[in-house]
Amino acid sequence: MAAVKRIYSFGGGKAEGNRDMKDLLGGKGAGVAEMSNIGLLVPPGFTITTDVCVAFYKGGKKLPKDVLPGVEAALRKVEALTGKGFGSADDPLLVSVRSGARVSMPGMMDTVLNLGLNDRTVVGLAKRSQNERFAWDSYRRFCAMFGDVVLGMKPERKEDRDPFEVILERKKRAHGAKLDAELPVSALKELVVEFKAEVKRRKGIDFPDDPMQQLVAGIEAVFRSWDNERAIAYRRLNAIPAEWGTAVTVQAMVFGNMGEDSGTGVAFTRNPADGRNEFYGEFLVNAQGEDVVAGIRTPQKISELAARFPEIARQLEDARAKLERHYRDMQDIEFTIERGRLYLLQTRSGKRTGLAAVRIAVEMADARLISREEAVLRVDPAALNHLLRPIFDDAARLRAVDEGRLLARGLPAGPGAAAGRVVFFAEDAEAWKARGEQVVLARHETSPEDIRGMNAAQGFLTAFGGMTSHAALVARQMGKVAIVGCEALSFDYHARTMTVATARGPKVLREGDWISIDGTAGEVIEGSLATTPSEVMQVLIEKTREPSSAPVYQQFAKLLGWADRARRLKVRANADQPDQATVSVAFGAQGIGLCRTEHMFFGEGKIGPMREMIVAETLAERRAALAKLLPLQREDFAGIFRAMGGRPVTIRTIDPPLHEFLPQDPDGITELARATGKSEVHVRARIDELHEANPMLGHRGCRLGISYPEITEMQARAIFEAACEVAAEGLEVQPEVMIPLVGAKKELEHQAARVRAVAEAVFAERGARVRYTVGTMIEVPRGAVCAGPIAEVADFFSFGTNDLTQTTFGISRDDVGTVLQSYLENGIYEVDPFVTIDREGVGELMRLAVERGRRTKPNLKIGICGEHGGDPSSVEFCHQLGLDYVSCSPYRLPIARLAAAQAALREQAAAHPVKPARPAKANGRGGEKARATNRALAVPGVKPAKEPRKKRTRARPQARA
Ligand code: PEP
Ligand code: MG
């Protein structure tokens, strides 16, 4: 049997790998291979596969022995292509060692640069480059990086700086140097000695000088970094399975720090913040790549490159066009200029805000670079939230400017508006959030260690770094509001203060002070500013803006229009009030999937009669309370029917977990006593009597209606009277009455009979009929298992996956927090099953219910109305199960529409795999869909439907943060 290939070489105009091998080579490895294949100049190297990473962990975190000969052989090829020797004292080959997972995890794992340097090779490097300063500068950088990444030299306390930074700062002070570049060569040489001594002092080991030993240690360190704290946190946030592992790419170094004719940069082929079709990026002259990404020095704009390096700017523009044509997507590239020669180091699909994702997808489809189906697949459904998020109110902003509260401007890295109390440490952001505070995290710069705090904050603000710094990338990925490179800020972490250099002098902000950040305009404002709805919301919901003057809205509507054409699943909303129904229609609801009738009483002045009904002790008392509820419900139902304009409305009979509705506070008890004409003592005793140890498993759902059929009857009357009233106005109505928490056919028979009897009575009284149906929720395991007989009585099913998850797992929905945290931390669940359907358990019960229900009634309409209905992965699962619709909260409807379309397109692609080709006509018709979808499946950010998900489903409960 042929040995499994574990190392893939590239360079010299060809590669053993290609773009389709991300699973094995990681995004980076696949990208450099592909760029070599299409004739872009890439420094040669090789990629060690993700399989080796898996073997590394299985083998006790050691590089498998049989990998080493392959590494040596691949190294020989690089030597041949570069003409240099690894470890050569004459003309040394230096390499970078980089991580690269299947999907990009910006900055979460480690990198080592300039590997191969020691006291001998540095002399060869100095000689060959004829630049002693460069050679020693590279060497001191290598020592620091290797010390940090491979040898684990970290600051001792969080307030402390990097130990090598401290030595460097001391050295600069001693030489009166402001910049690193002002240090003399002698100082760089001293730094190498001092760095190594620091390693010896703190770690008790000699810094390794043998290049091969360095390389093995470097590769192992990068593999290890797959499991560092920040990578684990990032994986959890982005549902990346731990078993994927990272690849390692070892590549010949090219140097952007060889002098004033050298440089390095990163660029996006389109603007990643707003999606504009412009080359967007940054570069630094005489610097190494990490300087740009780490955001230590604020770089120059790519538009200024032509002035300095006109020929390079032209070549880069060509590469931009070539890569966009080839990948047919916005790319994020890294490049280095070494002595006037342009090298490309990386290309990958660029991270972008939701705003940019929609614009790029729509414009590329309009330009026929991609098909409309691909455009639909390109946008992560959750990213649509960016387009719905509030912005600062104009008047409030102007007032703040007049009052001198506009403190500073920075780069607008993550659009939207956020206000919060300022904190300076990521741990504080997490802790403050946990105690209910809204925070903005402000720092010199962020690092991957800060990831959890960044997630907890409303937004973040940094003093350093450009649009491609860590903070900016993470903001785009997480959809956070962010400003970076705000140079007016300086920090005193010990004093927990931030000083802003304003035109009126320095302004000191302390931890806990309120600030507002506008990630669209890049403005930092003192205090908490009022917000206003986004452009999409202004058009759709507020109706304060004309669509023709709202370009963002137009792109949003276009994309969702394409999605609607592609999807099979219908989308409905969970809405309990007429105004919510109106919002739902604006967001594209095709019906209401769940009207929780008990929620209709949450409103002002309505909870009283509901409580009276619950505490009633006799039938007469209950009827009296119900008589008060009837007109309230009827009015709301009529409002909902009118707002829904003939679309189906599923109304669920009352399902109040009693503890949510009974008063606990003295005022509430006094009020209830007054309303019922009973003593407070009596009311309190009745509340105690109704107390349940497990209210979620208690007297709720159809159980209540069975104990007190008059409640169901009142509700049915309200529904049918409202329906007749609206029908009499000439409007269409489609009521669907839904009975909750059914586990047995007889429960449904009991309740359905009451509903139908009331319907007939109302129709007889009104002399008119309306079409209606009676169905049930499937939300306890017994209901799923007994779906066959239940379907004999039900006109439809709707999965209540909140309760179905609760009862299948046996974990209380109300108390899940602590269990969940521990389970997520221990890797027992990958993600929260209350957020994403657990396909393996809950999902199997759903499958069973669909099969059994439809065996009884082949055309049984089936939907879902649990919270999962707005979660993209769960929507995909519902599509796969053959449900008719998903129902979710109104604001998640755009997400559900897009996710439903993506599920349909992926299914088509899986059924008709066609080799992707450039679309001849991007008109969204004909046999285009399958081709388009096949390609889009490979786009990061668009979750591959099939292979990773299925794998995880078998492995453990399926869920996503
Ligand atoms: C459910 O259980 O999924 C459901 C929709 O009902 P509720 O959340 O009201 O219990
Ligand atoms: Mg329920």
Side-chain angles (χ1 to χ4, degrees), residues 222-296:
V222 174
F223 278 147
R224 269 200 311 275
S225 71
W226 172 252
D227 242 6
N228 68 30
E229 207 181 298
R230 55 186 199 253
I232 291 173
Y234 187 89
R235 285 206 295 273
R236 191 169 295 151
L237 289 172
N238 293 281
I240 298 172
E243 53 274 19
W244 278 3
T246 179
V248 171
T249 294
V250 177
Q251 191 172 20
M253 286 293 305
V254 282
F255 297 96
N257 55 339
M258 271 211 173
E260 294 303 303
D261 57 352
S262 301
T264 188
V266 290
F268 293 87
T269 56
R270 300 192 184 208
N271 186 316
D274 64 15
R276 236 174 303 171
N277 188 0
E278 64 187 5
F279 201 15
Y280 191 92
E282 293 149 344
F283 71 100
L284 279 171
V285 175
N286 199 8
Q288 283 201 325
E290 298 312 289
D291 300 340
V292 184
V293 180
I296 309 278

Side-chain angles (χ1 to χ4, degrees), residues 596 652 655 700 740-741 777 779 800 802-803 813:
R596 289 181 167 100
R652 180 179 73 183
D655 178 13
R700 55 182 286 232
L741 227 68
M777 294 189 73
E779 53 181 344
N802 304 332
D803 276 311
R813 303 164 52 167

